Amino acid sequence: GVEGTMWQQPALSPFAAASPGEFGSGAAAATVGSSASWAGAEGSQARPAPQFGSFGAPVSSGMSPAGGTTWNGGSQWSGACAPRPGELPGEGENGCGGSPAIGCAGSGSDASWRPLGLGAGASSSSSAVSPWVLGWLGVPEGPERPRMRRHPPFTWKPGADFLGEFRVSGDAREVVTKVGDFWEPGTVVPAAGTLQMSKGGLYHWTLLLERLPPQRPQIQFGLHGVGHSKPMRVLSSTRCSRARDDDPWEPRPAGDRALAEGDYVHVQVDLRGLHLPFGTLSVAVNAEPPEIVFDDIPLGSGGAAVSTTPVIAMGGDSARVRLCPAY
């Protein structure tokens, strides 16, 4: 009852004929009544029409069942007025988070917060809502924050002996370009990466072949020991033949394959030694499946660690390779 007045079963209103799913189901939907039965204890002051919760039960002043609708001080709040994170229940002027300009729509955990008077498809602008409210809602007032840029896994750093042979550019020093033809025909010179790979690691990087000069198109890529020492495992771009250390070149088992400008070369070096006593180097071109090129990369023995670095080798003027960001 309300202030000592026993509430009587009211006559059914037109809402009782609605579908059970609209105001609830079962006996709760049958309790929906007209506003005539909602007179106060004094009898002279008319009370507002009853508000109905998510289950169809009328809610009196100052009472807000879970998922219901409250009528408090003349301000109507729609939906379930659950406290926002970090607030105690009932904080604020209307028990809904502290701002009389904010309401919540929906019920339960699916409630979406928006200023009262705005429909589900309406948008709140700064002219209708104060900046304090927008900040409280988390609506950005200025331009979007700059996004974090992905960076390559390493940078190119030619050795002192070949420093004049290359030009390294790009914001992250990810582009390496050959400057002039190397003086010895049929010979390429290496530029190493700053990444040092050792036993137990799994490493990935992607190369974009931006330019292959027609006079000397061959580019070699793979890995060298630190300081361009052994072990050396490289792959040629002209035939996809491969060479290790000082051994002669070996043809590709599946037949020759020439790489072209614009090809993406995905390199994976697995030094975990999960199934072999050696590491492996796999290569995939564009969206093709990877193939294992080397399966004999030494991991170190007798406590001596073996460190290797990525390497790119070029001989023709204006040959250019870009190291792509890691994903």
Side-chain angles (χ1 to χ4, degrees), residues 66-257:
T69 304
T70 63
W71 186 284
N72 191 348
S75 298
Q76 185 176 357
W77 299 83
S78 58
C81 298
R84 292 177 63 83
E87 290 181 346
L88 296 176
E91 282 189 343
E93 295 182 15
N94 294 307
C96 201
S99 174
I102 305 302
C104 59
S107 62
S109 60
D110 298 330
S112 59
W113 290 78
R114 65 171 183 267
L116 287 178
L118 295 179
S123 61
S124 59
S125 62
S126 59
S127 60
V129 183
S130 66
W132 182 88
V133 172
L134 291 177
W136 192 66
L137 288 173
V139 178
E141 298 180 20
E144 186 181 1
R145 288 183 180 180
R147 297 179 181 272
M148 294 183 62
R149 297 182 58 185
R150 296 185 176 96
H151 293 284
F154 57 87
T155 62
W156 297 113
K157 187 178 181 181
D161 296 338
F162 308 109
L163 197 57
E165 298 289 339
F166 298 99
R167 181 177 65 254
V168 180
S169 59
D171 294 338
R173 297 180 61 83
E174 75 277 12
V175 181
V176 58
T177 306
K178 181 68 177 69
V179 179
D181 290 337
F182 189 63
W183 61 272
E184 185 178 349
T187 303
V188 296
V189 289
T194 56
L195 176 66
Q196 291 197 9
M197 301 176 289
S198 57
K199 180 180 179 180
L202 177 64
Y203 306 93
H204 303 264
W205 66 89
T206 297
L207 303 175
L208 171 59
L209 308 182
E210 289 192 342
R211 176 166 170 75
L212 301 178
Q215 73 279 10
R216 298 175 72 169
Q218 184 177 134
I219 290 180
Q220 299 175 11
F221 53 90
L223 60 85
H224 281 181
V226 176
H228 301 292
S229 59
K230 297 180 181 179
M232 298 181 179
R233 304 289 188 272
V234 292
L235 187 74
S236 171
S237 64
T238 52
R239 298 191 303 123
C240 284
S241 54
R242 60 282 321 260
R244 53 175 56 86
D245 298 334
D246 297 327
D247 296 346
W249 287 89
E250 299 178 2
R252 179 172 178 258
D256 292 347
R257 162 78 184 274

Side-chain angles (χ1 to χ4, degrees), residues 45-62:
Q45 183 179 358
R47 292 185 178 271
Q51 309 301 316
F52 300 99
S54 58
F55 299 97
V59 180
S60 64
S61 175

